[in-house]
Amino acid sequence: MCLLCSDERAYAAYMEYLDAMERQGKEADPDKAMDAVLDMLQAEAAKPKKNASPFHCDPIEE
């Protein structure tokens, strides 16, 4: 199964990229679009995750 079929976020990002290219009047190359989406998803995955839990505490210094 391809990435676009198995990951809804990847599919949405792919379609947004193609739409943006068409709005700019450029011809969208599906291969370049897929490469751009993969780069974007990898960059997001590399970002450190922040804990949004209200129960997260910093260690106490004694």
Side-chain angles (χ1 to χ4, degrees):
M1 183 179 288
C2 75
L3 174 67
L4 295 178
C5 298
S6 63
D7 188 356
E8 188 174 316
R9 284 185 35 217
Y11 180 76
Y14 179 76
M15 295 308 291
E16 286 176 26
Y17 181 87
L18 292 179
D19 289 342
M21 293 299 290
E22 288 179 3
R23 276 187 247 121
Q24 294 175 5
K26 298 178 182 177
E27 187 175 325
D29 181 5
D31 291 329
K32 287 183 183 179
M34 191 64 191
D35 290 340
V37 169
L38 286 174
D39 291 342
M40 182 201 64
L41 292 174
Q42 289 174 348
E44 282 182 14
K47 288 182 184 176
K49 304 270 190 254
K50 291 193 176 190
N51 188 353
S53 172
F55 302 108
H56 180 263
C57 299
D58 291 329
I60 298 173
E61 292 182 23
E62 293 183 30

Short mmCIF file of all heavy atoms in Angstrom, two decimals:
data_model
loop_
_atom_site.label_atom_id
_atom_site.label_comp_id
_atom_site.label_asym_id
_atom_site.label_seq_id
_atom_site.Cartn_x
_atom_site.Cartn_y
_atom_site.Cartn_z
N MET A 1 0.85 -1.16 0.00
CA MET A 1 0.00 0.00 0.00
C MET A 1 0.90 1.24 0.00
O MET A 1 1.87 1.32 0.74
CB MET A 1 -0.88 -0.04 1.25
CG MET A 1 -1.86 1.10 1.29
SD MET A 1 -2.95 1.07 2.74
CE MET A 1 -3.99 -0.29 2.34
N CYS A 2 0.56 2.22 -0.78
CA CYS A 2 1.39 3.42 -0.86
C CYS A 2 1.14 4.34 0.33
O CYS A 2 0.16 4.21 1.05
CB CYS A 2 1.11 4.16 -2.16
SG CYS A 2 -0.44 5.06 -2.20
N LEU A 3 2.05 5.27 0.53
CA LEU A 3 1.97 6.20 1.65
C LEU A 3 0.69 7.02 1.59
O LEU A 3 0.04 7.24 2.61
CB LEU A 3 3.19 7.12 1.64
CG LEU A 3 3.19 8.25 2.67
CD1 LEU A 3 3.30 7.66 4.07
CD2 LEU A 3 4.32 9.20 2.41
N LEU A 4 0.31 7.46 0.41
CA LEU A 4 -0.88 8.29 0.29
C LEU A 4 -2.15 7.53 0.65
O LEU A 4 -3.10 8.11 1.17
CB LEU A 4 -1.00 8.87 -1.11
CG LEU A 4 0.11 9.83 -1.52
CD1 LEU A 4 -0.10 10.30 -2.95
CD2 LEU A 4 0.19 11.00 -0.58
N CYS A 5 -2.17 6.25 0.38
CA CYS A 5 -3.35 5.45 0.69
C CYS A 5 -3.44 5.12 2.18
O CYS A 5 -4.52 4.98 2.73
CB CYS A 5 -3.34 4.14 -0.10
SG CYS A 5 -3.39 4.38 -1.87
N SER A 6 -2.30 4.98 2.83
CA SER A 6 -2.29 4.53 4.21
C SER A 6 -2.26 5.67 5.22
O SER A 6 -2.55 5.46 6.39
CB SER A 6 -1.10 3.61 4.46
OG SER A 6 0.10 4.31 4.26
N ASP A 7 -1.91 6.89 4.81
CA ASP A 7 -1.79 8.01 5.75
C ASP A 7 -2.62 9.18 5.27
O ASP A 7 -2.32 9.81 4.25
CB ASP A 7 -0.32 8.41 5.87
CG ASP A 7 -0.06 9.43 6.94
OD1 ASP A 7 -1.02 9.92 7.57
OD2 ASP A 7 1.11 9.75 7.16
N GLU A 8 -3.66 9.48 6.02
CA GLU A 8 -4.58 10.55 5.64
C GLU A 8 -3.88 11.92 5.62
O GLU A 8 -4.15 12.74 4.74
CB GLU A 8 -5.76 10.59 6.61
CG GLU A 8 -6.85 11.53 6.19
CD GLU A 8 -8.06 11.43 7.09
OE1 GLU A 8 -8.46 10.30 7.43
OE2 GLU A 8 -8.59 12.49 7.46
N ARG A 9 -2.97 12.15 6.58
CA ARG A 9 -2.25 13.42 6.61
C ARG A 9 -1.37 13.58 5.37
O ARG A 9 -1.26 14.67 4.82
CB ARG A 9 -1.39 13.51 7.86
CG ARG A 9 -2.17 13.80 9.10
CD ARG A 9 -1.28 14.01 10.31
NE ARG A 9 -0.04 14.66 9.98
CZ ARG A 9 1.13 14.39 10.52
NH1 ARG A 9 1.23 13.47 11.44
NH2 ARG A 9 2.21 15.04 10.16
N ALA A 10 -0.73 12.51 4.95
CA ALA A 10 0.13 12.57 3.77
C ALA A 10 -0.70 12.87 2.53
O ALA A 10 -0.30 13.67 1.69
CB ALA A 10 0.89 11.26 3.60
N TYR A 11 -1.86 12.24 2.43
CA TYR A 11 -2.74 12.48 1.28
C TYR A 11 -3.20 13.93 1.26
O TYR A 11 -3.18 14.58 0.21
CB TYR A 11 -3.94 11.53 1.32
CG TYR A 11 -4.88 11.73 0.17
CD1 TYR A 11 -4.57 11.26 -1.10
CD2 TYR A 11 -6.09 12.41 0.34
CE1 TYR A 11 -5.42 11.46 -2.17
CE2 TYR A 11 -6.94 12.61 -0.71
CZ TYR A 11 -6.61 12.13 -1.97
OH TYR A 11 -7.46 12.35 -3.02
N ALA A 12 -3.61 14.46 2.42
CA ALA A 12 -4.08 15.84 2.50
C ALA A 12 -2.95 16.81 2.14
O ALA A 12 -3.18 17.78 1.41
CB ALA A 12 -4.62 16.14 3.89
N ALA A 13 -1.75 16.55 2.63
CA ALA A 13 -0.61 17.41 2.31
C ALA A 13 -0.28 17.35 0.82
O ALA A 13 0.04 18.38 0.21
CB ALA A 13 0.60 17.00 3.13
N TYR A 14 -0.38 16.19 0.24
CA TYR A 14 -0.12 16.01 -1.20
C TYR A 14 -1.12 16.82 -2.02
O TYR A 14 -0.74 17.56 -2.94
CB TYR A 14 -0.20 14.53 -1.55
CG TYR A 14 0.01 14.20 -3.00
CD1 TYR A 14 1.28 14.22 -3.55
CD2 TYR A 14 -1.06 13.86 -3.82
CE1 TYR A 14 1.49 13.90 -4.89
CE2 TYR A 14 -0.86 13.54 -5.15
CZ TYR A 14 0.41 13.58 -5.69
OH TYR A 14 0.60 13.27 -7.01
N MET A 15 -2.38 16.72 -1.67
CA MET A 15 -3.41 17.44 -2.40
C MET A 15 -3.27 18.95 -2.22
O MET A 15 -3.45 19.72 -3.16
CB MET A 15 -4.81 16.98 -1.97
CG MET A 15 -5.09 15.52 -2.34
SD MET A 15 -4.80 15.13 -4.08
CE MET A 15 -6.13 16.04 -4.85
N GLU A 16 -2.91 19.40 -1.01
CA GLU A 16 -2.70 20.82 -0.76
C GLU A 16 -1.53 21.34 -1.59
O GLU A 16 -1.59 22.45 -2.13
CB GLU A 16 -2.42 21.07 0.72
CG GLU A 16 -3.66 20.95 1.58
CD GLU A 16 -3.34 21.12 3.06
OE1 GLU A 16 -2.32 21.78 3.39
OE2 GLU A 16 -4.09 20.57 3.87
N TYR A 17 -0.48 20.55 -1.69
CA TYR A 17 0.68 20.95 -2.49
C TYR A 17 0.29 21.09 -3.96
O TYR A 17 0.64 22.08 -4.61
CB TYR A 17 1.81 19.93 -2.33
CG TYR A 17 3.05 20.27 -3.12
CD1 TYR A 17 4.02 21.10 -2.56
CD2 TYR A 17 3.26 19.79 -4.41
CE1 TYR A 17 5.16 21.43 -3.28
CE2 TYR A 17 4.39 20.12 -5.13
CZ TYR A 17 5.34 20.93 -4.55
OH TYR A 17 6.46 21.27 -5.28
N LEU A 18 -0.43 20.12 -4.48
CA LEU A 18 -0.85 20.19 -5.88
C LEU A 18 -1.76 21.39 -6.12
O LEU A 18 -1.62 22.09 -7.13
CB LEU A 18 -1.58 18.90 -6.28
CG LEU A 18 -0.72 17.64 -6.36
CD1 LEU A 18 -1.59 16.45 -6.75
CD2 LEU A 18 0.43 17.81 -7.34
N ASP A 19 -2.68 21.66 -5.19
CA ASP A 19 -3.58 22.81 -5.33
C ASP A 19 -2.79 24.12 -5.31
O ASP A 19 -3.07 25.04 -6.09
CB ASP A 19 -4.63 22.82 -4.21
CG ASP A 19 -5.67 21.73 -4.38
OD1 ASP A 19 -5.79 21.18 -5.50
OD2 ASP A 19 -6.36 21.42 -3.39
N ALA A 20 -1.81 24.22 -4.42
CA ALA A 20 -1.00 25.44 -4.33
C ALA A 20 -0.22 25.67 -5.63
O ALA A 20 -0.13 26.81 -6.10
CB ALA A 20 -0.04 25.35 -3.15
N MET A 21 0.31 24.62 -6.19
CA MET A 21 1.04 24.75 -7.45
C MET A 21 0.12 25.22 -8.57
O MET A 21 0.48 26.08 -9.37
CB MET A 21 1.69 23.42 -7.84
CG MET A 21 2.80 22.97 -6.90
SD MET A 21 4.18 24.11 -6.82
CE MET A 21 4.89 23.89 -8.43
N GLU A 22 -1.09 24.68 -8.63
CA GLU A 22 -2.03 25.07 -9.67
C GLU A 22 -2.49 26.51 -9.49
O GLU A 22 -2.68 27.23 -10.48
CB GLU A 22 -3.22 24.11 -9.68
CG GLU A 22 -2.86 22.75 -10.23
CD GLU A 22 -4.03 21.77 -10.24
OE1 GLU A 22 -5.16 22.18 -9.87
OE2 GLU A 22 -3.80 20.62 -10.60
N ARG A 23 -2.67 26.96 -8.23
CA ARG A 23 -3.06 28.34 -7.97
C ARG A 23 -1.98 29.31 -8.41
O ARG A 23 -2.29 30.44 -8.78
CB ARG A 23 -3.36 28.54 -6.49
CG ARG A 23 -4.77 28.14 -6.12
CD ARG A 23 -5.11 28.51 -4.69
NE ARG A 23 -5.26 27.24 -4.00
CZ ARG A 23 -4.57 26.82 -2.96
NH1 ARG A 23 -3.67 27.59 -2.41
NH2 ARG A 23 -4.78 25.65 -2.43
N GLN A 24 -0.73 28.90 -8.35
CA GLN A 24 0.38 29.74 -8.79
C GLN A 24 0.55 29.71 -10.30
O GLN A 24 1.39 30.40 -10.85
CB GLN A 24 1.68 29.28 -8.13
CG GLN A 24 1.71 29.48 -6.64
CD GLN A 24 2.97 28.89 -6.02
OE1 GLN A 24 3.86 28.41 -6.71
NE2 GLN A 24 3.02 28.91 -4.70
N GLY A 25 -0.23 28.89 -10.96
CA GLY A 25 -0.15 28.79 -12.41
C GLY A 25 0.94 27.87 -12.90
O GLY A 25 1.27 27.86 -14.08
N LYS A 26 1.51 27.11 -11.98
CA LYS A 26 2.58 26.18 -12.35
C LYS A 26 1.98 24.80 -12.59
O LYS A 26 0.98 24.44 -12.01
CB LYS A 26 3.62 26.09 -11.24
CG LYS A 26 4.32 27.38 -10.94
CD LYS A 26 5.29 27.23 -9.82
CE LYS A 26 5.97 28.54 -9.48
NZ LYS A 26 6.86 28.41 -8.32
N GLU A 27 2.65 24.06 -13.46
CA GLU A 27 2.23 22.68 -13.70
C GLU A 27 2.77 21.81 -12.57
O GLU A 27 3.96 21.84 -12.26
CB GLU A 27 2.76 22.18 -15.03
CG GLU A 27 2.23 20.83 -15.40
CD GLU A 27 2.67 20.41 -16.78
OE1 GLU A 27 2.79 21.28 -17.66
OE2 GLU A 27 2.91 19.21 -16.97
N ALA A 28 1.89 21.07 -11.94
CA ALA A 28 2.29 20.25 -10.79
C ALA A 28 2.85 18.92 -11.27
O ALA A 28 2.20 18.18 -11.99
CB ALA A 28 1.09 20.03 -9.89
N ASP A 29 4.07 18.64 -10.85
CA ASP A 29 4.72 17.37 -11.15
C ASP A 29 4.45 16.42 -9.98
O ASP A 29 4.87 16.71 -8.85
CB ASP A 29 6.22 17.58 -11.33
CG ASP A 29 6.96 16.30 -11.66
OD1 ASP A 29 6.31 15.25 -11.86
OD2 ASP A 29 8.20 16.35 -11.72
N PRO A 30 3.74 15.32 -10.20
CA PRO A 30 3.39 14.41 -9.10
C PRO A 30 4.61 13.87 -8.35
O PRO A 30 4.55 13.70 -7.14
CB PRO A 30 2.64 13.27 -9.79
CG PRO A 30 2.16 13.84 -11.07
CD PRO A 30 3.15 14.89 -11.46
N ASP A 31 5.71 13.62 -9.02
CA ASP A 31 6.91 13.10 -8.36
C ASP A 31 7.52 14.15 -7.43
O ASP A 31 7.89 13.85 -6.30
CB ASP A 31 7.94 12.64 -9.37
CG ASP A 31 7.50 11.39 -10.11
OD1 ASP A 31 6.77 10.57 -9.52
OD2 ASP A 31 7.88 11.23 -11.28
N LYS A 32 7.61 15.40 -7.91
CA LYS A 32 8.14 16.47 -7.08
C LYS A 32 7.21 16.74 -5.91
O LYS A 32 7.66 17.03 -4.80
CB LYS A 32 8.33 17.74 -7.90
CG LYS A 32 9.50 17.67 -8.85
CD LYS A 32 9.68 18.96 -9.58
CE LYS A 32 10.81 18.85 -10.60
NZ LYS A 32 10.99 20.10 -11.34
N ALA A 33 5.91 16.63 -6.14
CA ALA A 33 4.94 16.83 -5.06
C ALA A 33 5.12 15.78 -3.99
O ALA A 33 5.11 16.09 -2.79
CB ALA A 33 3.51 16.80 -5.62
N MET A 34 5.31 14.55 -4.38
CA MET A 34 5.49 13.47 -3.41
C MET A 34 6.77 13.68 -2.62
O MET A 34 6.79 13.49 -1.40
CB MET A 34 5.51 12.12 -4.14
CG MET A 34 5.43 10.95 -3.23
SD MET A 34 3.86 10.96 -2.38
CE MET A 34 4.16 9.71 -1.20
N ASP A 35 7.84 14.10 -3.29
CA ASP A 35 9.10 14.37 -2.60
C ASP A 35 8.93 15.51 -1.59
O ASP A 35 9.45 15.43 -0.46
CB ASP A 35 10.21 14.72 -3.59
CG ASP A 35 10.64 13.52 -4.42
OD1 ASP A 35 10.39 12.37 -3.99
OD2 ASP A 35 11.23 13.73 -5.49
N ALA A 36 8.23 16.56 -1.98
CA ALA A 36 8.01 17.70 -1.07
C ALA A 36 7.19 17.28 0.14
O ALA A 36 7.48 17.69 1.26
CB ALA A 36 7.31 18.83 -1.82
N VAL A 37 6.17 16.46 -0.07
CA VAL A 37 5.33 15.99 1.03
C VAL A 37 6.14 15.11 1.97
O VAL A 37 6.06 15.24 3.20
CB VAL A 37 4.09 15.26 0.50
CG1 VAL A 37 3.35 14.53 1.61
CG2 VAL A 37 3.15 16.24 -0.18
N LEU A 38 6.95 14.23 1.44
CA LEU A 38 7.78 13.36 2.28
C LEU A 38 8.77 14.19 3.10
O LEU A 38 8.96 13.92 4.29
CB LEU A 38 8.53 12.34 1.42
CG LEU A 38 7.68 11.21 0.86
CD1 LEU A 38 8.52 10.35 -0.08
CD2 LEU A 38 7.11 10.37 1.97
N ASP A 39 9.37 15.20 2.47
CA ASP A 39 10.29 16.07 3.21
C ASP A 39 9.57 16.78 4.34
O ASP A 39 10.09 16.90 5.45
CB ASP A 39 10.94 17.09 2.27
CG ASP A 39 11.91 16.45 1.29
OD1 ASP A 39 12.34 15.29 1.53
OD2 ASP A 39 12.22 17.11 0.28
N MET A 40 8.36 17.28 4.07
CA MET A 40 7.59 17.98 5.09
C MET A 40 7.23 17.05 6.25
O MET A 40 7.38 17.41 7.41
CB MET A 40 6.31 18.56 4.49
CG MET A 40 5.49 19.34 5.50
SD MET A 40 3.76 19.51 5.07
CE MET A 40 3.22 17.83 5.09
N LEU A 41 6.79 15.84 5.94
CA LEU A 41 6.41 14.89 6.98
C LEU A 41 7.62 14.47 7.82
O LEU A 41 7.52 14.31 9.03
CB LEU A 41 5.72 13.67 6.37
CG LEU A 41 4.35 13.93 5.76
CD1 LEU A 41 3.84 12.67 5.06
CD2 LEU A 41 3.35 14.41 6.80
N GLN A 42 8.77 14.30 7.18
CA GLN A 42 9.98 13.95 7.92
C GLN A 42 10.43 15.09 8.82
O GLN A 42 10.89 14.87 9.93
CB GLN A 42 11.09 13.56 6.95
CG GLN A 42 10.85 12.22 6.29
CD GLN A 42 11.87 11.90 5.22
OE1 GLN A 42 12.65 12.76 4.80
NE2 GLN A 42 11.86 10.66 4.75
N ALA A 43 10.29 16.34 8.35
CA ALA A 43 10.65 17.49 9.17
C ALA A 43 9.73 17.59 10.39
O ALA A 43 10.19 17.89 11.49
CB ALA A 43 10.58 18.77 8.35
N GLU A 44 8.44 17.32 10.20
CA GLU A 44 7.50 17.34 11.32
C GLU A 44 7.83 16.25 12.33
O GLU A 44 7.75 16.46 13.53
CB GLU A 44 6.07 17.15 10.83
CG GLU A 44 5.44 18.38 10.24
CD GLU A 44 4.00 18.14 9.82
OE1 GLU A 44 3.40 17.11 10.21
OE2 GLU A 44 3.47 18.99 9.10
N ALA A 45 8.21 15.09 11.84
CA ALA A 45 8.52 13.97 12.73
C ALA A 45 9.80 14.23 13.52
O ALA A 45 9.96 13.73 14.63
CB ALA A 45 8.65 12.68 11.92
N ALA A 46 10.71 15.02 12.96
CA ALA A 46 11.97 15.29 13.62
C ALA A 46 11.85 16.36 14.71
O ALA A 46 12.73 16.48 15.56
CB ALA A 46 13.01 15.72 12.60
N LYS A 47 10.77 17.15 14.67
CA LYS A 47 10.58 18.19 15.68
C LYS A 47 10.33 17.54 17.03
O LYS A 47 9.63 16.54 17.13
CB LYS A 47 9.37 19.06 15.33
CG LYS A 47 9.58 19.99 14.17
CD LYS A 47 8.35 20.83 13.97
CE LYS A 47 8.45 21.71 12.75
NZ LYS A 47 7.21 22.46 12.52
N PRO A 48 10.89 18.14 18.07
CA PRO A 48 10.61 17.58 19.41
C PRO A 48 9.14 17.79 19.76
O PRO A 48 8.55 18.83 19.47
CB PRO A 48 11.52 18.38 20.33
CG PRO A 48 11.98 19.57 19.56
CD PRO A 48 11.80 19.25 18.11
N LYS A 49 8.58 16.78 20.35
CA LYS A 49 7.17 16.84 20.74
C LYS A 49 7.06 17.53 22.09
O LYS A 49 7.82 17.27 23.00
CB LYS A 49 6.60 15.42 20.85
CG LYS A 49 6.75 14.61 19.59
CD LYS A 49 5.57 14.80 18.70
CE LYS A 49 5.60 13.82 17.56
NZ LYS A 49 5.94 14.34 16.31
N LYS A 50 6.09 18.41 22.22
CA LYS A 50 5.84 19.07 23.49
C LYS A 50 4.67 18.37 24.16
O LYS A 50 3.70 18.02 23.52
CB LYS A 50 5.51 20.54 23.29
CG LYS A 50 6.69 21.35 22.81
CD LYS A 50 6.43 22.81 22.92
CE LYS A 50 7.67 23.57 22.53
NZ LYS A 50 7.56 24.97 22.83
N ASN A 51 4.80 18.19 25.44
CA ASN A 51 3.74 17.55 26.20
C ASN A 51 2.68 18.59 26.53
O ASN A 51 2.95 19.56 27.23
CB ASN A 51 4.32 16.94 27.48
CG ASN A 51 3.32 16.10 28.22
OD1 ASN A 51 2.15 16.06 27.85
ND2 ASN A 51 3.76 15.43 29.26
N ALA A 52 1.47 18.40 26.02
CA ALA A 52 0.38 19.34 26.25
C ALA A 52 -0.44 18.96 27.47
O ALA A 52 -1.43 19.59 27.77
CB ALA A 52 -0.52 19.39 25.01
N SER A 53 -0.01 17.97 28.19
CA SER A 53 -0.73 17.53 29.37
C SER A 53 -0.58 18.54 30.50
O SER A 53 0.51 19.00 30.79
CB SER A 53 -0.20 16.16 29.83
OG SER A 53 -0.79 15.83 31.07
N PRO A 54 -1.68 18.86 31.19
CA PRO A 54 -1.57 19.78 32.33
C PRO A 54 -0.91 19.11 33.53
O PRO A 54 -0.60 19.75 34.51
CB PRO A 54 -3.02 20.13 32.63
CG PRO A 54 -3.81 18.99 32.12
CD PRO A 54 -3.05 18.47 30.92
N PHE A 55 -0.68 17.80 33.45
CA PHE A 55 -0.11 17.05 34.56
C PHE A 55 1.40 16.85 34.44
O PHE A 55 1.99 16.16 35.22
CB PHE A 55 -0.81 15.69 34.70
CG PHE A 55 -2.28 15.85 34.92
CD1 PHE A 55 -3.18 15.53 33.92
CD2 PHE A 55 -2.78 16.34 36.11
CE1 PHE A 55 -4.53 15.68 34.10
CE2 PHE A 55 -4.13 16.50 36.31
CZ PHE A 55 -5.01 16.17 35.31
N HIS A 56 2.01 17.44 33.44
CA HIS A 56 3.44 17.32 33.25
C HIS A 56 4.15 18.29 34.17
O HIS A 56 3.87 19.48 34.21
CB HIS A 56 3.82 17.62 31.80
CG HIS A 56 5.27 17.50 31.54
ND1 HIS A 56 6.11 18.58 31.55
CD2 HIS A 56 6.06 16.42 31.29
CE1 HIS A 56 7.34 18.18 31.33
NE2 HIS A 56 7.34 16.89 31.15
N CYS A 57 5.07 17.81 34.94
CA CYS A 57 5.81 18.65 35.90
C CYS A 57 7.30 18.53 35.63
O CYS A 57 7.80 17.48 35.22
CB CYS A 57 5.53 18.21 37.32
SG CYS A 57 3.80 18.34 37.78
N ASP A 58 8.01 19.62 35.90
CA ASP A 58 9.46 19.58 35.82
C ASP A 58 10.00 18.91 37.07
O ASP A 58 9.38 18.97 38.15
CB ASP A 58 10.02 21.01 35.72
CG ASP A 58 9.69 21.64 34.38
OD1 ASP A 58 9.60 20.89 33.39
OD2 ASP A 58 9.52 22.87 34.33
N PRO A 59 11.16 18.29 36.99
CA PRO A 59 11.75 17.67 38.17
C PRO A 59 12.02 18.71 39.27
O PRO A 59 12.35 19.85 38.98
CB PRO A 59 13.05 17.07 37.67
CG PRO A 59 12.99 17.12 36.20
CD PRO A 59 11.96 18.11 35.81
N ILE A 60 11.87 18.30 40.48
CA ILE A 60 12.10 19.18 41.61
C ILE A 60 13.59 19.19 41.93
O ILE A 60 14.21 18.14 42.05
CB ILE A 60 11.30 18.73 42.84
CG1 ILE A 60 9.83 18.79 42.54
CG2 ILE A 60 11.66 19.56 44.06
CD1 ILE A 60 8.95 18.21 43.64
N GLU A 61 14.14 20.37 42.07
CA GLU A 61 15.54 20.49 42.44
C GLU A 61 15.63 20.54 43.95
O GLU A 61 14.96 21.33 44.59
CB GLU A 61 16.16 21.75 41.83
CG GLU A 61 16.27 21.68 40.32
CD GLU A 61 16.94 22.91 39.76
OE1 GLU A 61 17.68 23.60 40.49
OE2 GLU A 61 16.70 23.18 38.58
N GLU A 62 16.43 19.69 44.52
CA GLU A 62 16.57 19.66 45.98
C GLU A 62 17.90 20.18 46.42
O GLU A 62 18.88 20.15 45.82
CB GLU A 62 16.37 18.23 46.49
CG GLU A 62 14.97 17.79 46.28
CD GLU A 62 14.74 16.40 46.86
OE1 GLU A 62 15.40 16.02 47.85
OE2 GLU A 62 13.91 15.70 46.31
#
